[in-house]
Amino acid sequence: GAVVSQHPSRVICKSGTSVKIECRSLDFQATTMFWYRQFPKKSLMLMATSNEGSKATYEQGVEKDKFLINHASLTLSTLTVTSAHPEDSSFYICSARAGESDTEAFFGQGTRLTVV
Amino acid sequence: GEDVEQSLFLSVREGDSSVINCTYTDSSSTYLYWYKQEPGAGLQLLTYIFSNMDMKQDQRLTVLLNKKDKHLSLRIADTQTGDSAIYFCAESMGTNAGKSTFGDGTTLTVKP
């Protein structure tokens, strides 16, 4: 299957700073990427849908000013957690879909964010 | 809204079959997925089934779908210790793969 790579896999940042997480589709062009957050021993919660060249669509309850998403190219989407707080510590996972009618989405390996 | 439910834990002995169950509420779900997540890793798509199918088999994996009861199951034959992981059931509408609703995951433990 297609490969989606996230970077970094782990990051520790100080409270109040911002951190950027990258999601890259390595061998296909991803028109749409999705950002999920996973709490410990919990399921994945969809945060936002990122479409190349347009603004991201955020799910209800997700602060768009706090979680900035940019999808500037067909192979890269970034999630920036701004002014991070300890409660933002979580596992963030992206997925990418190649085309509008593609039935499969491919997930990155996830990024473990710890805010201290 | 959509809801997907799974039992949280399953323990089996190596060599036995594992059956992980999932129920969903959205009757308009078009695709149903099974993902595997190993500790500290992302999700690996194992298989998916289109809602007009009853069964799909792929090597050791068999997916059964009862659309009337909105029940999905994943059977792993000859379960190995390497199959120990969390298994997520997910559903999506139309061809909107990637924007899915996930269950809470079933932790499968395979004992030698």
Side-chain angles (χ1 to χ4, degrees), chain B:
Chain B
E2 305 94 354
D3 195 19
V4 178
E5 294 191 355
Q6 303 174 235
S7 52
L8 294 181
F9 301 99
L10 176 65
S11 179
V12 301
R13 291 219 171 268
E14 191 173 20
D16 289 349
S17 292
S18 308
V19 179
I20 303 171
N21 294 298
C22 170
T23 58
Y24 59 99
T25 58
D26 193 341
S27 58
S28 58
S29 298
T30 307
Y31 289 91
L32 295 130
Y33 304 85
W34 283 106
Y35 291 91
K36 177 183 180 182
Q37 184 181 36
E38 297 186 17
L43 272 68
Q44 174 194 355
L45 176 65
L46 290 177
T47 186
Y48 65 90
I49 190 168
F50 188 48
S51 60
N52 68 353
M53 297 169 64
D54 298 323
M55 185 183 88
K56 182 177 180 181
Q57 188 157 1
D58 183 2
Q59 298 183 334
R60 292 191 298 125
L61 306 179
T62 303
V63 178
L64 294 178
L65 174 62
N66 182 327
K67 195 173 180 182
K68 174 176 169 289
D69 295 338
K70 300 190 186 70
H71 182 268
L72 182 75
S73 68
L74 173 69
R75 179 177 180 269
I76 306 173
D78 188 25
T79 314
Q80 303 297 306
T81 54
D83 295 324
S84 293
I86 302 176
Y87 291 81
F88 289 95
C89 167
E91 60 87 23
S92 70
M93 289 177 56
T95 54
N96 208 351
K99 185 175 181 178
S100 300
T101 301
F102 285 79
D104 283 347
T106 299
T107 300
L108 173 65
T109 303
V110 183
K111 298 179 180 178

Side-chain angles (χ1 to χ4, degrees), chain A residues 4-58:
Chain A
V4 174
S5 176
Q6 271 184 250
H7 178 80
S9 56
R10 291 180 179 273
V11 58
I12 301 173
C13 71
K14 289 186 177 180
S15 189
T17 62
S18 295
V19 61
K20 181 186 286 188
I21 302 169
E22 293 184 347
C23 178
R24 292 182 184 272
S25 56
L26 296 187
D27 50 3
F28 67 101
Q29 293 186 325
T31 54
T32 307
M33 290 185 174
F34 304 88
W35 287 96
Y36 289 84
R37 181 173 178 176
Q38 185 178 31
F39 294 93
K41 300 190 187 302
K42 286 288 185 182
S43 184
L44 284 76
M45 180 191 79
L46 179 66
M47 298 174 66
T49 302
S50 170
N51 294 299
E52 187 266 336
S54 64
K55 288 185 179 179
T57 304
Y58 290 81

Side-chain angles (χ1 to χ4, degrees), chain A residues 50-96:
Chain A
S50 170
N51 294 299
E52 187 266 336
S54 64
K55 288 185 179 179
T57 304
Y58 290 81
E59 296 298 304
Q60 194 172 5
V62 177
E63 298 175 62
K64 60 179 70 175
D65 293 331
K66 180 164 188 63
F67 298 100
L68 300 179
I69 291 172
N70 183 279
H71 193 158
S73 78
L74 283 170
T75 58
L76 174 65
S77 175
T78 60
L79 168 68
T80 302
V81 183
T82 63
S83 187
H85 289 281
E87 56 265 30
D88 299 324
S89 299
S90 195
F91 195 58
Y92 293 88
I93 306 178
C94 71
S95 71

